[in-house]
Amino acid sequence: QSFKLLGFLDVKNVPCSRESVLYGSVGSLVVGLGHFLATSRVRRSCDFAVGGFICTMLGYWFYCRYNLAQHRIRQRMLKEGMRNKILFEGSSLDPERRQTGNEGSNS
């Protein structure tokens, strides 16, 4: 069962959204409570809590999405390398065969 935050962000199906909301709520609690303990102003502390939620959530969202993109790029490169290894193994285009062939002719 999916949960939509603000009516459009599907927390279950969008990558990094669940963690972003969880870290944002923890950040909101820390910033709001910290500001309240420092100043004892309730309304201003709530404003800081909302700002802390937004900043923490967006910060972790971009961090997580960047890492996810890097992971997908590495995964695609590895998949392509494995496909090429299988495709060229044993043929004249195999880099390992060329290296061993050159070493044998030099000796």
Side-chain angles (χ1 to χ4, degrees), residues 6-10 16 18 42 54 63 75 80 88-89:
L6 301 174
F8 64 89
L9 180 62
D10 192 2
C16 299
R18 179 178 178 269
V42 176
I54 292 170
Y63 170 77
Q75 193 174 25
E80 183 73 20
F88 295 130
E89 190 172 22

Side-chain angles (χ1 to χ4, degrees), residues 59-107:
Y60 188 76
W61 171 270
F62 287 121
Y63 170 77
C64 183
R65 294 297 286 206
Y66 177 77
N67 284 341
L68 184 64
Q70 292 295 318
H71 178 72
R72 287 182 178 168
I73 288 170
R74 285 191 301 268
Q75 193 174 25
R76 194 173 351 168
M77 288 172 54
L78 183 62
K79 189 177 182 181
E80 183 73 20
M82 288 173 51
R83 189 176 64 84
N84 287 341
K85 170 93 172 141
I86 292 170
L87 187 64
F88 295 130
E89 190 172 22
S91 71
S92 61
L93 299 174
D94 188 7
E96 290 178 11
R97 185 173 179 192
R98 256 191 238 148
Q99 288 174 356
T100 56
N102 289 340
E103 289 172 2
S105 63
N106 290 337
S107 299

Side-chain angles (χ1 to χ4, degrees), residues 5-6 20-21 23-29 31 46-62:
L5 183 68
L6 301 174
S20 296
V21 170
Y23 281 118
S25 46
V26 170
S28 167
L29 182 70
V31 170
C46 290
D47 293 342
F48 268 81
V50 170
F53 174 77
I54 292 170
C55 290
T56 308
M57 186 179 81
L58 288 177
Y60 188 76
W61 171 270
F62 287 121

